Amino acid sequence: MTNLIVDTDIYSDVDDAAALLLATTLPDANLLAVNVNYTSSYSALAVSAILGHYNKGHVPIGIRRPLTDDTFFDIKHFSLGEFASKVAFHFRDSGGSLPWGRAEEAWDPVQLYRKTLAEAEDGSVTVVSIGFLDNLSALLSSPPDTHSPLPGAALISLKVSHLVVMGGAYPTSTNPDTGTSHPSWNFSGPNGSHAPAAAHVVSHWPGRVTFLGREVGANVIVGGPLMGAAPGSGVPRRDPVRMAYLWYTYGGLFDEDGDRRKRGGPAWDPLAVLYAVREVGCGLFEDVAGEGRRGWCVVDEKDGGNRWVWEDEGGGGDDHEGEGRREHAFLSLKVSPEGAAEVVDELLLKGARSGGRGSFAGGGKGIS
């Protein structure tokens, strides 16, 4: 059993919702807490609705401040729909811990981390980051408090066995042909605003860290079978994650990329959760830094660009500062994207069948 804390930026991309479905329904996952690293109140309320639906309404939720009432609008492609506020509102009676409109009742994320870790057995917690790393950066810098006499880094070192990070590109986010940096969103955010936090965590996390780059999940397209689940399939038609995919993709009605949107979206975050819970035992990944070869990730604190440095190839300068204490690895798929999608889709269907409350408070017929 994996004791799990999820740190999510659920807001724009629907893969966060799929990741939460797995975190709440995988039988070998014990979800301890969920922290939200995006500041929209609808993000926290959507988490609450999803956790409640899958009978995890008791799991505490934290969110960064100051809160906003922002909702997602796809100004880049004009093809993706907003889902977080809809999930939060229409599943507001699912039994989650945050009543509709009261996101301010969520925990401060650092306080929730410190309380949860302090109460856990030593070396027993896995943290999976599927968004910005600001919450984790703040935890690293946190002072002793009533929850623990240890400062953040020492508390992490004592309690956390593994940090899994969905972020970066490997071996580099720089295009080798043009020399242009293309930072991953989770390390950069808008205009590099989250880059300092990413660089801080990657450089100073005291223990094992495994990275899943954007290339791992980009072509693993999941959610289609969940969207298309027929009556009698055992999947509630008004499952919050199923509805999130339908709202996000418009049911594939406005697909300019073949049938991609009908098949769902990239599986970045559910793959990260699946690895965090089952590691290589899930059969989908290879540890590129395995077989005794050491290396580490370096993140640019200005723009969030990243690169991998191999110890046996050198690197020099600041690349080696403190690296002897790092236990970094990055993953690649050892199966085809289609094979990985089949595994994740089956787990999403199984999870949706296993524990849903079937609650839906919205009016009208909506999307069926």
Side-chain angles (χ1 to χ4, degrees), residues 3 43 51 83 88 163 216 254 258 310 362:
N3 294 320
S43 298
L51 297 191
F83 70 89
L163 171 63
V216 173
F254 303 102
W310 290 109

Side-chain angles (χ1 to χ4, degrees), residues 94-112:
S94 71
S97 61
L98 298 177
W100 168 253
R102 289 157 61 179
E104 71 278 1
E105 295 182 12
W107 280 78
D108 170 84
V110 173
Q111 290 299 306
L112 181 55

Side-chain angles (χ1 to χ4, degrees), residues 127-171:
V127 178
V128 57
S129 172
I130 52 174
F132 306 129
L133 281 80
D134 299 65
N135 289 338
L136 292 173
S137 177
L139 171 63
L140 264 174
S141 301
S142 63
D145 61 6
T146 57
H147 301 299
S148 172
L150 298 175
L155 182 61
I156 292 165
S157 184
L158 181 65
K159 300 292 185 174
V160 178
S161 62
H162 194 188
L163 171 63
V164 177
V165 176
M166 194 281 114
Y170 301 89

Side-chain angles (χ1 to χ4, degrees), residues 6-82:
V6 176
D7 205 311
T8 173
D9 65 346
I10 186 170
Y11 176 72
S12 56
D13 287 332
V14 75
D15 58 327
D16 293 84
L20 290 173
L21 193 163
L22 295 187
T24 54
T25 62
L26 286 174
D28 40 356
N30 178 31
L31 186 62
L32 302 178
V34 177
N35 267 325
V36 181
N37 51 68
Y38 199 88
T39 56
S40 171
S41 61
Y42 299 115
S43 298
L45 295 173
V47 171
S48 178
I50 291 170
L51 297 191
H53 181 83
Y54 296 116
N55 302 304
K56 299 292 184 182
H58 62 281
V59 173
I61 300 165
I63 186 170
R64 287 178 61 221
R65 268 67 168 186
L67 293 176
T68 74
D69 287 328
D70 291 347
T71 58
F72 171 66
F73 180 69
D74 180 14
I75 61 173
K76 185 175 182 180
H77 302 292
F78 300 98
S79 63
L80 301 175
E82 192 274 338

